[in-house]
């Protein structure tokens, strides 16, 4: 019982706990170490003494005491942290946060605040996604610190050995420390430049959960759900930013189809073949409401546009009833916001649904020279599908064989082998 309670608190509030400690002490390594020590202490004390009424506050208080004890023992470490703290104060003067555990709602189940989440977690978001860090390091650090994944779990998501991932995370933390990257929310003049990086990190986490890059399963629901949790935090912390609403809407509208995306053996089920009765309707309705917010009040951003496309899919009773002309029009907007071969590929598929497979195939063939699509299995799969609809079975089989050579996950490989058999 106590172990389950510790795990629940750890999963639910680890990012909040870390953010509060980092804000107080200015060092991510120290915050992680004392958080782990507090968890170990809980596992020792709670079975005998019972789970406290506010376990989150208990963990924070314990972690703070461990940090203070360590700084008293290590004066050099304390001096270095004092320099970091001075830098942070110059960058953004702020009162010390209430980390006593006596504030309202400071416990598991209600978060660390009552109605509003504290901004320490947002500071940690922007620190993990700082442009001074390499793109892959940003995502890895976010998964480790804010999504609460272990280093081996992050390594599996990136398809690298655990030791490699550990080095990558250490490198990111070292960069934060040596470059004296402040733990703060960017000012209004910096936010437009920095926010897209934060949103991209969360979207990257979801993408790996939606379509695993390797392994026996098509989806990693744990990662997808962690990304949605992070997107919810961002939405609450940045209520005025329409793209935070767009990102959350997109993730919800896509994740709502999760139960229908795989068959009994874990094989992928195409959108046109999915049982739409298994889609999560409350999640769809929440996503649709967020789309309205994302598209209201000014020019749409890329996440808002993608969410609008997902909403049109989710609203339709079947593929034939889908508003394909509107989807093509939205892709026309998206290609101006974030031009990429993948956007063009998705637009070509939508054009095929609107104007017929020949029209779509012509657009796909025009993309044949794109380097990014040569090793992208969905491109070959889309060509195979349209060629098959046109009755060009030999060419379709060749396209599916090409996709099979590029595909890594076993469920998708099995589906391609079935298509070749047909």
């Amino acid at each position: 019982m106590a172990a389950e309670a510790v795990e629940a608190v750890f999963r639910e509030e680890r990012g909040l706990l870390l953010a509060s400690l980092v804000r107080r002490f200015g060092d991510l390594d120290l915050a992680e170490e004392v958080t782990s020590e507090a968890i170990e202490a809980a596992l020792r004390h709670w079975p005998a003494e019972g789970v406290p009424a506010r376990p989150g506050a208990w963990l924070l208080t314990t972690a703070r005491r461990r940090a203070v004890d360590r700084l008293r023992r290590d004066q050099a470490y304390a001096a270095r942290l004092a320099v970091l703290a001075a830098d942070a104060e110059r960058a953004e003067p702020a009162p010390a946060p209430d980390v006593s555990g006596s504030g309202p709602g400071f416990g598991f189940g209600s978060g660390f605040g009552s109605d509003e989440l504290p901004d320490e977690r947002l500071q940690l978001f922007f620190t993990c996604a700082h442009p001074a860090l390499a793109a892959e390091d940003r995502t890895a650090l976010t998964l480790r610190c804010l999504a609460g994944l272990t280093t081996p779990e992050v390594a599996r998501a990136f398809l690298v050995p655990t030791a490699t991932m550990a080095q990558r995370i250490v490198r990111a933390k070292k960069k934060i420390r040596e470059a004296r990257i402040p733990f703060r929310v960017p000012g209004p003049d910096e936010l437009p430049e920095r926010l897209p990086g934060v949103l991209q990190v969360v979207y990257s986490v979801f993408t790996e959960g939606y379509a695993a890059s390797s392994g026996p399963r098509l989806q990693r629901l744990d990662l997808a759900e962690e990304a949605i949790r992070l997107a919810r935090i961002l939405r609450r912390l940045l209520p005025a930013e329409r793209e935070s609403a767009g990102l959350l809407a997109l993730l919800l509208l896509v994740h709502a189809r999760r139960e229908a995306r795989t068959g009994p053996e874990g094989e992928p089920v195409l959108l046109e073949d999915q049982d739409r009765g298994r889609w999560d309707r409350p999640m769809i309705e929440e996503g649709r409401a967020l789309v309205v917010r994302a598209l209201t009040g000014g020019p749409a951003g890329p996440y808002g546009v993608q969410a609008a496309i997902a909403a049109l899919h989710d609203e339709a009773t079947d593929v034939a009833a889908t508003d394909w002309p509107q989807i093509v029009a939205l892709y026309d907007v998206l290609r101006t916001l974030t031009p990429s071969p993948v956007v063009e590929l998705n637009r070509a598929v939508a054009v095929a649904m609107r104007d017929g497979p020949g029209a779509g195939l012509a657009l796909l063939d025009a993309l044949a020279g794109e380097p990014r699509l040569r090793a992208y299995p969905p491109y070959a799969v889309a060509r195979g599908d349209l060629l098959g609809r046109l009755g060009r079975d030999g060419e379709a089989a060749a396209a599916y064989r090409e996709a099979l050579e590029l595909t890594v996950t076993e469920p998708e490989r099995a589906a391609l082998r079935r298509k070749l058999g047909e």
Side-chain angles (χ1 to χ4, degrees), residues 75-421:
Q75 293 301 315
Y77 196 28
R80 180 165 62 81
L81 294 189
V83 172
L84 293 174
D87 288 343
E89 287 299 320
R90 283 193 294 269
E92 183 189 34
D98 175 12
V99 288
S100 64
S102 60
F106 203 100
F108 178 62
S110 61
F112 282 74
S114 53
D115 295 323
E116 297 296 327
L117 293 172
D119 64 3
E120 285 91 348
R121 190 157 35 175
L122 187 57
Q123 293 166 352
L124 192 52
F125 260 114
F126 278 95
T127 301
C128 290
H130 195 280
L133 303 177
E136 60 184 12
D137 294 354
R138 295 178 210 160
T139 306
L141 199 58
T142 302
L143 283 168
R144 180 71 186 91
C145 295
L146 283 160
L149 272 65
T150 65
T151 300
E153 287 173 335
V154 179
R156 284 197 295 273
F158 279 81
L159 311 179
V160 298
T162 298
T164 301
M165 181 51 62
Q167 292 173 356
R168 186 176 295 177
I169 292 172
V170 168
R171 180 178 66 206
K173 292 178 183 176
K174 183 179 179 182
K175 178 71 174 180
I176 290 172
R177 184 169 58 249
E178 292 183 347
R180 295 188 181 180
I181 294 173
F183 291 90
R184 65 177 179 86
V185 179
D189 57 331
E190 300 173 280
L191 193 59
E193 179 185 0
R194 295 275 300 279
L195 181 60
V198 176
L199 299 178
Q200 178 61 48
V201 165
V202 177
Y203 183 65
S204 297
V205 175
F206 180 81
T207 299
E208 178 62 28
Y210 172 78
S213 50
S214 70
R217 295 175 295 169
L218 178 67
Q219 305 178 90
R220 283 197 59 186
L221 296 181
D222 57 335
L223 278 186
E225 288 163 3
E226 287 293 351
I228 290 173
R229 186 174 68 83
L230 294 175
R232 287 191 186 281
I233 294 170
L234 276 175
R235 169 68 183 143
R236 287 193 62 189
L237 293 172
L238 296 169
E241 293 295 331
R242 291 186 298 119
E243 272 291 79
S244 66
L247 175 64
L248 178 56
L250 174 61
L251 304 194
L252 292 173
L253 290 163
V254 172
H255 196 58
R257 311 175 202 144
R258 62 195 178 280
E259 296 297 334
R261 287 190 61 230
T262 55
E265 304 299 323
E267 71 277 12
V269 179
L270 297 177
L271 184 65
E272 61 192 67
D273 299 322
Q274 290 178 17
D275 177 1
R276 299 184 179 217
R278 300 180 66 195
W279 289 0
D280 189 330
R281 288 295 159 187
M283 188 172 284
I284 289 172
E285 291 308 311
E286 183 184 358
R288 290 177 63 193
L290 286 165
V291 169
V292 174
R293 172 69 186 95
L295 300 182
T296 302
Y303 292 113
V305 174
Q306 292 178 78
I309 293 171
L312 288 172
H313 283 299
D314 288 4
E315 291 166 2
T317 55
D318 55 37
V319 170
T322 303
D323 190 346
W324 292 108
Q326 182 65 13
I327 287 178
V328 173
L330 287 167
Y331 273 120
D332 288 339
V333 174
L334 186 61
R335 71 201 300 207
T336 66
L337 295 173
T338 54
S340 79
V342 174
V343 171
E344 296 297 334
L345 164 61
N346 292 330
R347 180 181 178 276
V349 172
V351 168
M353 299 303 296
R354 184 190 67 178
D355 301 334
L361 183 62
L363 293 175
L364 288 182
D365 287 344
L367 297 172
E370 288 287 349
R372 286 179 57 187
L373 297 181
R374 290 175 188 163
Y376 190 57
Y379 174 73
V381 171
R383 286 195 75 251
D385 179 58
L386 296 184
L387 287 165
R389 294 186 187 190
L390 291 168
R392 295 160 61 175
D393 292 347
E395 294 172 88
Y400 286 135
R401 279 193 290 270
E402 180 183 350
L404 185 60
E405 292 177 0
L406 297 171
T407 300
V408 177
T409 60
E410 187 51 40
E412 291 175 302
R413 291 180 60 82
L416 288 169
R417 285 193 289 265
R418 281 193 296 272
K419 284 183 177 291
L420 283 169

